[in-house]
Amino acid sequence: MDPNPEPASSGDENNNAVLEHRSFARIGFLGNPSDVYFGRTISFTIGNFWASAKLEPSDHLLIKPHPYHDLVRFDSLDNLVCRLNSEGYYGGVRLLMAICKVFRSYCKDNDIHLHDRNFTLSYDTNIPRQTGLSGSSAIVSATLSCLLDFYSVRHLIRIEVRPNLILNAEKELGIVAGLQDRVAQVYGGGLVHMDFSKEHMDRVGYGIYTIMDINLLPPLHLIYTENPSDSGKVHSTVRRKWLDGDEFIISSMAEIAKLAEEGRTALLNKDYTKLKLLMNRNFDLRRSIFGDECLGAVNIEMVEVARKIGAAAKFTGSGGAVVAFCPDGPSQVKLLKEECKKAGFIVEPVKLVPTRLNNSDLKTLSKP
């Protein structure tokens, strides 16, 4: 299956068109998690995994449950309990409903007219659960793209605003997150530098997003476990401490944000020795802020397995998967694969995808 197909044509060309869009898994490369602390980050989406949404015109508005992720039929009571323990209570239907609500509210508030035709929405995803690859927001992002085309309003909703719509949909469901993942997915590939400085965020409600050449990245590898059982404690007191003015938390987050700036310079200069140091420092700072109990033993082990053979390694998000860089080349990659196999981890090359923004999208970009 082609991980990077051409998006379907927009609804204004054919009112009966079936629309399908993809949104890819995300790697937070440098600066995370400072995006929720008015920091800076560098992120990109990868072609290894993606979520897709399909919109088909229909007489009634229908949100179709996924045959696996929204399962409501089980072989037995034990099967139901086992399923809930591994997958949780929530599938993707709620995500589709939430973005429909947020999209409609935004259009109403901004005097964007929507036609009254109905549709059927469905989704699919191969992004592994609980791996910190932004699987939920990928589903929402893909769905938003379908809505933009079905209602022919892509040119009326600026690219910089779209990540906020995705985040607002997730907030409707109690999902706590920042804009970084949604920005990377809305920009649809490529490398994106993000500046979430408080002055700019307070003034316009979103950050300053700069597209960089994806080919500046060196070869990278993704490490994750097939059945994540220890993703660490999601909730933490860090944000409360930051809001309360904790000097250690504030200074550490500022240092993490600075890593994204240094990383941008290192990438532009192709200084991969520096890049290795920045990746490792990013993880070390996160670990000092959140602590091992919050990060989770398995997550820490994935980083340490990579570092043991001299690779740089850090979380792709808040835990569940790790991005590794082997500066010594193929021989070091071979060692990484051997050590990951011993530890029971999956390792695979990161597949880069170019930006998928079309001309209509690019016209909505703010001028620098």
Side-chain angles (χ1 to χ4, degrees), residues 247-364:
E247 291 184 7
F248 172 72
I249 301 297
I250 291 173
S251 62
S252 297
M253 282 299 174
E255 186 176 350
I256 289 177
K258 187 179 178 184
L259 296 178
E261 292 305 300
E262 294 181 34
R264 175 163 64 171
T265 301
L267 285 168
L268 291 172
N269 294 332
K270 295 194 174 181
D271 184 352
Y272 299 133
T273 300
K274 176 71 170 179
L275 196 64
K276 174 185 174 181
L277 297 174
L278 296 174
M279 290 177 65
N280 284 335
R281 182 60 177 158
N282 202 148
F283 175 77
D284 292 342
L285 284 167
R286 175 188 278 272
R287 189 173 186 177
S288 70
I289 293 171
F290 289 89
D292 287 6
E293 184 180 5
C294 183
L295 298 191
V298 173
N299 292 325
I300 293 171
E301 185 184 1
M302 283 190 282
V303 172
E304 291 179 341
V305 162
R307 288 192 175 184
K308 183 167 69 174
I309 57 96
K314 63 176 295 296
F315 289 174
T316 60
S318 58
V322 163
V323 57
F325 168 42
C326 295
D328 296 338
S331 60
Q332 196 173 35
V333 171
K334 183 180 178 182
L335 289 174
L336 178 67
K337 291 179 178 178
E338 290 172 353
E339 291 300 322
C340 284
K341 184 176 181 180
K342 290 178 188 175
F345 300 139
I346 299 168
V347 59
E348 58 185 75
V350 167
K351 299 176 183 177
L352 303 178
V353 290
T355 183
R356 290 157 54 83
L357 298 179
N358 59 34
N359 289 333
S360 179
D361 292 323
L362 293 172
K363 288 177 182 178
T364 73

Side-chain angles (χ1 to χ4, degrees), residues 1-307:
M1 186 185 297
D2 180 8
N4 197 30
E6 290 297 318
S9 59
S10 71
D12 58 350
E13 294 176 2
N14 183 357
N15 291 336
N16 295 314
V18 175
L19 303 169
E20 186 167 4
H21 282 279
R22 284 182 177 173
S23 185
F24 295 92
R26 176 277 304 124
I27 286 180
F29 191 55
L30 286 171
N32 57 311
S34 75
D35 58 313
V36 292
Y37 301 92
F38 299 114
R40 296 175 176 83
T41 64
I42 296 176
S43 297
F44 58 94
T45 49
I46 61 175
N48 302 63
F49 304 108
W50 60 87
S52 63
K54 180 186 288 187
L55 186 153
E56 305 171 76
S58 58
D59 293 336
H60 300 281
L61 200 158
L62 174 65
I63 309 294
K64 293 178 67 174
H66 190 277
Y68 178 78
H69 300 295
D70 298 291
L71 195 64
V72 292
R73 179 175 177 176
F74 305 92
D75 294 334
S76 65
L77 186 59
D78 286 342
N79 177 227
L80 180 149
V81 172
C82 181
R83 166 66 184 224
L84 293 179
N85 286 338
S86 63
E87 302 290 334
Y89 286 89
Y90 304 114
V93 164
R94 63 185 186 134
L95 297 169
L96 272 59
M97 289 183 173
I99 188 58
C100 285
K101 177 185 175 184
V102 168
F103 171 78
R104 178 66 186 92
S105 297
Y106 178 85
C107 291
K108 184 177 181 180
D109 291 344
N110 289 273
D111 296 321
I112 297 174
H113 175 72
L114 302 179
H115 61 69
D116 59 1
R117 295 189 296 276
N118 284 325
F119 55 83
T120 294
L121 264 180
S122 58
Y123 77 97
D124 198 4
T125 180
N126 62 11
I127 301 176
R129 288 175 58 89
Q130 299 179 324
T131 52
L133 293 170
S134 207
S136 293
S137 60
I139 294 171
V140 181
S141 176
T143 305
L144 176 59
S145 284
C146 287
L147 294 172
L148 292 173
D149 286 344
F150 180 69
Y151 288 102
S152 303
V153 295
R154 184 173 289 275
H155 63 295
L156 297 176
I157 301 180
R158 291 166 57 186
I159 294 174
E160 294 96 335
V161 171
R162 297 176 199 171
N164 294 61
L165 300 184
I166 296 167
L167 183 59
N168 289 341
E170 293 177 281
K171 284 181 177 178
E172 287 271 327
L173 305 171
I175 297 173
V176 180
L179 281 167
Q180 173 189 207
D181 304 354
R182 291 97 200 138
V183 173
Q185 289 169 331
V186 163
Y187 279 68
L191 190 63
V192 186
H193 176 274
M194 310 171 203
D195 181 347
F196 299 101
S197 59
K198 189 175 188 303
E199 180 183 0
H200 191 82
M201 290 287 291
D202 287 346
R203 183 162 52 87
V204 299
Y206 51 81
I208 302 169
Y209 311 135
T210 306
I211 300 174
M212 300 176 65
D213 183 357
I214 192 71
N215 295 309
L216 292 171
L217 287 169
L220 300 169
H221 283 76
L222 185 68
I223 303 171
Y224 61 100
T225 178
E226 191 169 18
N227 297 300
S229 58
D230 178 13
S231 57
K233 293 186 177 179
V234 176
H235 300 289
S236 171
T237 60
V238 170
R239 182 156 182 83
R240 172 47 53 193
K241 290 179 180 178
W242 181 81
L243 290 170
D244 289 343
D246 185 294
E247 291 184 7
F248 172 72
I249 301 297
I250 291 173
S251 62
S252 297
M253 282 299 174
E255 186 176 350
I256 289 177
K258 187 179 178 184
L259 296 178
E261 292 305 300
E262 294 181 34
R264 175 163 64 171
T265 301
L267 285 168
L268 291 172
N269 294 332
K270 295 194 174 181
D271 184 352
Y272 299 133
T273 300
K274 176 71 170 179
L275 196 64
K276 174 185 174 181
L277 297 174
L278 296 174
M279 290 177 65
N280 284 335
R281 182 60 177 158
N282 202 148
F283 175 77
D284 292 342
L285 284 167
R286 175 188 278 272
R287 189 173 186 177
S288 70
I289 293 171
F290 289 89
D292 287 6
E293 184 180 5
C294 183
L295 298 191
V298 173
N299 292 325
I300 293 171
E301 185 184 1
M302 283 190 282
V303 172
E304 291 179 341
V305 162
R307 288 192 175 184

